[in-house]
Amino acid sequence: MSEPTDTPCPVPASITAAWIGLMRAQRIVLAAIEADLKAAGLPPLGWYDVLLELARAPEGRLRPFEIEKRTLLTQYNLSRLIDRLEGKGLVQKELSGEDGRGRWVVITQDGRAMQARMWTVYSRALSDHVGRKLDASSADALAGLLAKLTD
Amino acid sequence: MSEPTDTPCPVPASITAAWIGLMRAQRIVLAAIEADLKAAGLPPLGWYDVLLELARAPEGRLRPFEIEKRTLLTQYNLSRLIDRLEGKGLVQKELSGEDGRGRWVVITQDGRAMQARMWTVYSRALSDHVGRKLDASSADALAGLLAKLTD
DNA sequence: GCGACATAGATGCAATAGCATGTACCTGTT
DNA sequence: AACAGGTACATGCTATTGCATCTATGTCGC
C-alpha cells in the first residue's frame, strides 16, 4: 500500500517559485514595455534589438547569422524580420562579396533614427517598469542570479 | 558645442543588465523546457498551465475568465486554446446555468492524465534547467527579487 | 576536381497570436 | 419596461511564428 502522492513533485518549491516568478515577471514587464512602444506608434521590441545591434556594429552592418547569435532570434524569424525592416526602409540588404552564400544587412539613416526614437520610449519604459521597482543593488543581484541560469 | 552623447541613457546599467538578463534567461529556459516537452511528444507549456489550473479547481471546473486571470493568457487566445483542448478531449465545455453569458470548462479524465504525464516531463526539465543552476537560497532570492517586479 | 557534408539564407505551408468587432447576457438607472 | 453601459465569450481577418525543406555556396578529404 503506497502513499498517494497528491503532488508527485521532486522539484523543490523554491525552484518552481523562481521559475514561475521568472515567467510572470518577464511577461508582465515585456507586455508593459510593448504597450508603451505601441502607444507611441512605434514597432515592437524585436525591431529595436536588431536595429541596436546594427547601429553598434562597425559600419552599421552585420551578417544575418551574427544578428541571430546576438538576439536569440531563430533563423527563419530573423530572415523575415529583416524583410520587414527593409520594407520600411530601416535596413538594406547587400550581397556579400567574400562569401557567396551571405548577405550584409546595413542599417540606414532612417534605421538609426528609428533606433534612437525607440530608445527614448524604451528607456523611459525601463525606468518605469523596472527601475522604479528595483534599487541598484537589487538589480545587480537579480542580474547575477539570472546569469546563473544561462550558462 | 554640446558633447556628443554616444549613449543617451538615463537608465542605470544595473537596470538594463537585469532586464536583459530577465529576457535572456526566460527565453533560454523556456525554449529548453518546451524542447523537452516536444521531444516527449507532448503539447506546449500553455496547455499545461490551463490543465493544472483546472485540475486544482474544485470539481475540475473553471470559468474561462478565471483561467484568464490565473494564467495571464489573453481572452482571445484562451478562447481558442480551450477549443484545441476540447478538440483533443482534454476538457469539455458546458453552458453555465447561473450566468447565461458564461461557460464552464471542465477537465476530463484524459485531461487529468495528460496533466500528470506532462508534469513528469516538466518537472524533470525544471530540475535540469533551473534546479541544477540554483541552490535553494539562490532560488528563494531570485523569486523574491522577481516578485518585486510584479506589483 | 569530385563527392560528401556543412553553412547561410530563403520560403511554402500550417499553426498560432493579435486586433477589432460581434453576440449574448447581465446590472443599474430612470 | 426601456435604455445605457458593462461583462463574458466568440470569431473574421491579418500578421507573425514554427516547421520542414530548398537553393546556393563553402569546406574538406581524397
Side-chain angles (χ1 to χ4, degrees):
Chain A
M1 197 169 166
S2 67
E3 266 190 62
T5 48
D6 237 34
T7 53
C9 170
V11 186
S14 58
I15 295 296
T16 68
W19 167 241
I20 291 173
L22 178 60
M23 290 285 285
R24 282 184 54 86
Q26 191 266 356
R27 279 180 203 205
I28 288 172
V29 177
L30 177 59
I33 291 175
E34 293 274 22
D36 288 353
L37 284 169
K38 185 169 312 179
L42 294 172
L45 211 43
W47 291 38
Y48 180 82
D49 293 336
V50 173
L51 291 175
L52 177 61
E53 294 303 334
L54 287 169
R56 293 206 289 217
E59 303 179 51
R61 67 178 56 216
L62 287 170
R63 298 280 299 271
F65 75 92
E66 298 175 300
I67 304 174
E68 195 183 325
K69 283 177 203 152
R70 288 164 165 80
T71 60
L72 300 183
L73 288 166
T74 58
Q75 186 270 319
Y76 46 85
N77 279 336
L78 177 59
S79 176
R80 281 160 165 151
L81 175 51
I82 291 170
D83 287 345
R84 278 171 242 148
L85 291 169
E86 190 184 30
K88 296 292 184 186
L90 304 176
V91 306
Q92 267 181 263
K93 284 197 281 190
E94 291 179 9
L95 290 175
S96 167
E98 315 122 30
D99 185 340
R101 297 166 298 180
R103 313 271 178 265
W104 285 106
V105 183
V106 191
I107 191 169
T108 64
Q109 278 311 314
D110 281 0
R112 290 188 190 272
M114 174 63 83
Q115 186 269 320
R117 219 149 59 84
M118 290 184 77
W119 176 242
T120 67
V121 175
Y122 185 16
S123 61
R124 214 158 66 78
L126 270 178
S127 297
D128 284 355
H129 306 300
V130 182
R132 204 180 296 283
K133 312 287 181 71
L134 297 176
D135 57 35
S137 72
S138 293
D140 281 338
L142 177 56
L145 289 166
L146 290 168
K148 286 181 156 185
L149 286 175
T150 57
D151 31 74
Chain B
M1 198 165 168
S2 67
E3 265 188 63
T5 48
D6 239 33
T7 54
C9 171
V11 186
S14 58
I15 295 297
T16 67
W19 167 241
I20 293 174
L22 179 59
M23 291 284 286
R24 281 184 55 86
Q26 191 266 357
R27 280 182 202 203
I28 288 172
V29 177
L30 177 59
I33 291 175
E34 292 274 23
D36 287 354
L37 283 169
K38 184 168 313 178
L42 293 172
L45 211 42
W47 292 40
Y48 181 82
D49 294 334
V50 173
L51 291 174
L52 177 61
E53 294 303 334
L54 288 170
R56 292 206 287 218
E59 303 180 51
R61 67 178 55 216
L62 288 170
R63 298 279 300 270
F65 75 93
E66 298 176 301
I67 303 174
E68 196 183 322
K69 282 177 203 151
R70 289 164 163 79
T71 59
L72 301 183
L73 288 167
T74 59
Q75 186 269 319
Y76 46 84
N77 280 335
L78 176 59
S79 177
R80 280 160 165 153
L81 175 51
I82 290 169
D83 287 346
R84 276 171 244 146
L85 291 169
E86 190 184 30
K88 296 293 185 187
L90 304 176
V91 306
Q92 267 181 262
K93 283 196 283 191
E94 291 179 9
L95 291 175
S96 165
E98 316 124 28
D99 185 338
R101 298 166 298 182
R103 312 270 178 268
W104 285 107
V105 183
V106 191
I107 191 170
T108 63
Q109 279 311 315
D110 281 0
R112 290 188 190 272
M114 174 62 85
Q115 185 270 319
R117 219 148 59 85
M118 290 183 78
W119 176 243
T120 66
V121 175
Y122 186 16
S123 60
R124 214 158 65 80
L126 269 179
S127 296
D128 283 355
H129 306 300
V130 182
R132 205 181 297 282
K133 311 287 181 72
L134 297 176
D135 57 37
S137 71
S138 293
D140 282 339
L142 178 56
L145 289 167
L146 291 168
K148 288 180 155 187
L149 287 175
T150 58
D151 30 76

